[in-house]
Structure formats: structure tokens, C-alpha cells
Amino acid sequence: REVRRVVRDFAEREILPHVEQHEREERYPVELIAKLPAMGLMGPMIPEAFGGSFADVVTYGVICEEIARVDWVVASVISVSNSLCAGAILRFGTEAQKQRWLPAIARGEVLCSACLTEPGGGTDLGSMASTARRVDGGYRLDGSKVFISHAAHAGLFLVVASVDRSKKHKGVTAFLVDPKQTEGIVLGEFPMRTLKRDNLAAVFFEGAFVPDDCVLGEPGGGFPVLGAALDLGRFSVAARCVGQAQRALDLALPYAQQREAFG
């Protein structure tokens, strides 16, 4: 209850006054996201040893719920960073990967994006078309991803691609990719009619080289990495939906009580 009170007060005071204008301008809320780290809201699933503000999963859900009640984009930043990226690194990453990425995520220095969904198969890992070809010192990534949130502003991509498509889901491999330091990554606009403020993108990998130390888990072991990440990810999405529904009721109920029509 205390977390809910504090987060709701913060969201209504610091975020809510800007949301409508940002929606009209189709503007990504960089300035609002920058306010999260000081409140410990960028790392509720990151342990304190890595600079986070680790909380239990229910508390994390309350945080996602209350931020989404005010702004769905800022809530998505928290959800993707913690559930998908930081959560996967924490469970499957090497110590070097944890030290490189987790403190930077918690401090808000690195925003995250999950490059999972594909044009043909969605998140059907068994039919994934993106490939990771073995070369000296690492892999070459080729393929395309769509509906990718936060891509243009991210400093970390969680990417899945197959090292052997004949093995279906057993060939899927997870990679931690720095898009700002990796050649062969092209971002394309995705023609959304709504939800434009999230800057959803298409991401194309054109022979992008990633070194061996970018593999998260084992080559061919991406299926359990994604399964664990999506377990927590779907929970945070559900919490965000509850927050958005609550806001809709908060706005609709007073209107229904005050509105008069036809006498």
C-alpha cells in the first residue's frame, strides 16, 4: 500500500501533466523516463548489488500498474527493461554481462528493447527466420523484427535468432546487442495508425557482427531464456492493463454520474 501511494503520487505529479501534449505531438517521453532512476523505478527487479531497488514480484506489479495508470509508454519502459532484459541477464548472464548491463539499466543510462517478434511468425520460436551464422570470434545476425518498442532510444537489444533453423526451437539463441556500437543494424519506421508515441520500429539485421561474449546463455539455449523472460514479462503486461483499466474507470465514473441527456 505504501509503494502504491508513493508511486501514484509521483506519477500524477511528475508524469501526468505532460502525457496529453506528448500524445498530440507523438513524442517519446525521454524527459519523463529520466525521472525514474531517482525513485528507484528503473530497477525494481535488479538486485541492490547491481544498483537496483530489488522488490518482490507483487510490488513490481504494483509499480507497473500505477505507472501505466498514468502513462502506458513509461510503464512499458520499466516492463521491458526489468522483465525481459534485466530479468534474463540476471538468470542466464555471465558475471561480466551482469556487471556491464545491470547497473547501467538501473541508473537509466541504458534503455532496453526486445527484438523478438518477426513479420511471418510473431514470437513463434519454432519458425523463426532470423539467423545467427557462426564466424571467427562471434556470429553474423541476419533477419528482421517488427513491432519493436523503444528501438530508436535503446542502448541494449535482446535479440533472438537461430543458429540452425532445422532444429526449430532448439536452434534459437539469445544475444545481448549494443545497437549503437554494432554495424549492420537498420531501424525502419513501422506504419502504426495508433500508439505512435512508443516509436514502434522495424529492425533489420544485415550481417551484423556480435562477438561471442554477446551470447546470453548457451548457443541453441535461447528457448528457456525467452520462456523465463516472458513469464515475468506477461505478468508485468497484465499489471499494466489493470492500471490502464483503472484509469479508464476513474475517468468514466464521474462523467457517468454528472452527465445529463434527454431530460
Side-chain angles (χ1 to χ4, degrees), residues 168-192:
K168 297 187 179 297
H169 68 275
K170 292 184 178 180
V172 172
T173 303
F175 298 89
L176 300 172
V177 180
D178 182 343
K180 302 183 187 305
Q181 302 294 326
T182 305
E183 296 184 359
I185 298 177
V186 178
L187 301 185
E189 291 188 12
F190 200 71
M192 297 291 289

Side-chain angles (χ1 to χ4, degrees), residues 115-124 127-130 143-148 190 201-205:
C115 297
L116 312 180
T117 304
E118 298 197 345
T123 50
D124 177 5
S127 62
M128 182 170 296
S130 296
S144 58
K145 306 290 184 176
V146 292
F147 295 108
I148 307 305
F190 200 71
V203 181
F204 304 95
F205 297 90

Side-chain angles (χ1 to χ4, degrees), residues 83-147:
S83 294
L84 295 180
C85 295
I89 294 169
L90 196 58
R91 286 194 65 176
F92 296 94
T94 64
E95 188 61 28
Q97 289 171 336
K98 293 175 184 177
Q99 293 292 346
R100 177 182 179 185
W101 295 114
L102 294 180
I105 294 171
R107 291 192 297 264
E109 297 169 0
V110 170
L111 300 185
C112 300
S113 187
C115 297
L116 312 180
T117 304
E118 298 197 345
T123 50
D124 177 5
L125 299 184
S127 62
M128 182 170 296
S130 296
T131 59
R133 177 171 51 89
R134 193 78 172 92
V135 295
D136 288 344
Y139 295 83
R140 292 281 180 188
L141 302 183
D142 289 279
S144 58
K145 306 290 184 176
V146 292
F147 295 108

Side-chain angles (χ1 to χ4, degrees), residues 14-89:
E14 300 290 342
I15 298 177
L16 182 59
H18 307 282
V19 172
E20 285 301 322
Q21 181 179 349
H22 286 189
E23 283 286 351
R24 288 194 295 271
E25 296 173 354
E26 299 176 10
R27 177 177 169 188
Y28 191 80
V30 175
E31 303 93 334
L32 305 184
I33 295 167
K35 298 180 180 185
L36 298 175
M39 293 289 295
L41 298 178
M42 275 303 295
M45 286 285 96
I46 298 175
E48 293 182 9
F50 298 106
S53 54
F54 191 81
D56 60 88
V57 174
V58 174
T59 302
Y60 172 52
V62 169
I63 291 169
C64 291
E65 179 184 338
E66 288 300 326
I67 297 295
R69 177 179 171 271
V70 165
D71 185 14
W72 64 277
V73 180
V74 176
S76 176
V77 169
I78 296 171
S79 178
V80 172
S81 294
N82 284 269
S83 294
L84 295 180
C85 295
I89 294 169

